Amino acid sequence: MEPIILASSSPRRQEILKMLKIPFRVIIPNIDETLMSAIELEQVPELLAREKVTAVIHSLPAEQEIPYVLGADTVIIFNNEIMGKPQSQEEAFDYLKKLQGKTHTVVTSLVLYKGKTHETKSKISKTRVTFSPMTDEEIQWYIDTGEWHGAAGGYRIQSLASLFVAKIEGSYTGVVGLPISELYDILKEQGYSILE
């Protein structure tokens, strides 16, 4: 299999690619992830995933043959707002306090560029996640684990936050950050076989 370039620093996305035995190398894109207010919330992750792919392509030497470049971005939407990565313990606590006992939407967008044809395809995964009611003590315990660092919405579903997740409707791996079913579909569409 041809190695793909992963335009992401996410260890979770790297773990999923390793599990699927897809060879890859990481190039961390340098983009401004400030959200644009002019577009619909659910379009934000696709726009950011496209920007990541474009930034990586432009960072490579002009003469280098570009194989496949995969970009992904995940956002949490709750009450018509995007919850990004909390900047402090207080903000993480505030996010989880809002999410506890309620349902939010996790949107992950994948963008795959094929160098040979200069084609870009995208897929979107939407998952509804419902948290159990949580006490302030439970929220603080979770915040103290440090898992909130660098996680959209202030939690990681694949780890201790799973204690508080009552229901998932959609793609579990989409909430982790790389929806496997959509990834398989987009790779097939671009002529990349993982069945070798």
Side-chain angles (χ1 to χ4, degrees):
M1 274 187 277
E2 201 176 349
I4 66 171
I5 294 171
L6 176 62
S8 171
S9 60
S10 163
R12 267 70 50 200
R13 293 185 181 126
Q14 294 173 36
E15 284 163 15
I16 289 172
L17 289 179
K18 284 177 192 162
M19 191 255 310
L20 296 171
K21 299 191 174 14
I22 296 173
F24 69 94
R25 68 185 177 109
V26 172
I27 298 179
I28 298 170
N30 184 14
I31 67 158
D32 177 10
E33 291 197 41
T34 311
L35 304 173
M36 303 76 182
S37 54
I39 64 169
E40 286 182 42
L41 297 182
E42 290 188 1
Q43 294 176 334
V44 168
E46 182 177 342
L47 183 72
L48 291 174
R50 282 185 186 278
E51 284 191 16
K52 290 175 183 180
V53 167
T54 302
V56 164
I57 291 167
H58 289 178
S59 74
L60 297 168
E63 68 281 357
Q64 182 177 332
E65 190 178 304
I66 299 169
Y68 292 86
V69 181
L70 176 66
D73 194 78
T74 302
V75 298
I76 285 179
I77 301 174
F78 180 68
N79 277 353
N80 234 13
E81 286 181 13
I82 286 183
M83 287 186 163
K85 297 169 183 171
Q87 300 303 305
S88 66
Q89 282 199 5
E90 292 73 31
E91 190 173 30
F93 187 96
D94 184 49
Y95 281 1
L96 290 174
K97 181 88 171 164
K98 287 177 183 170
L99 296 177
Q100 66 85 27
K102 302 209 170 60
T103 300
H104 60 275
T105 303
V106 181
V107 182
T108 296
S109 182
L110 299 178
V111 171
L112 184 67
Y113 172 81
K114 183 178 182 179
K116 285 192 180 102
T117 60
H118 306 289
E119 275 185 286
T120 303
K121 300 260 187 208
S122 65
K123 290 267 178 215
I124 197 161
S125 161
K126 280 194 250 181
T127 304
R128 287 169 55 80
V129 177
T130 304
F131 267 85
S132 302
M134 298 166 72
T135 64
D136 285 1
E137 185 185 14
E138 287 171 320
I139 295 170
Q140 191 58 55
W141 172 83
Y142 181 73
I143 298 303
D144 289 344
T145 69
E147 271 188 15
W148 62 271
H149 284 282
Y155 74 91
R156 296 193 195 287
I157 199 165
Q158 71 277 18
S159 201
L160 293 171
S162 59
L163 289 168
F164 308 110
V165 174
K167 186 163 72 168
I168 299 174
E169 299 164 83
S171 168
Y172 170 79
T173 52
V175 182
V176 174
L178 195 64
I180 290 176
S181 177
E182 286 80 359
L183 175 64
Y184 186 53
D185 287 347
I186 206 171
L187 289 168
K188 283 198 296 187
E189 280 177 19
Q190 292 281 49
Y192 188 99
S193 174
I194 69 166
L195 306 179
E196 294 169 20

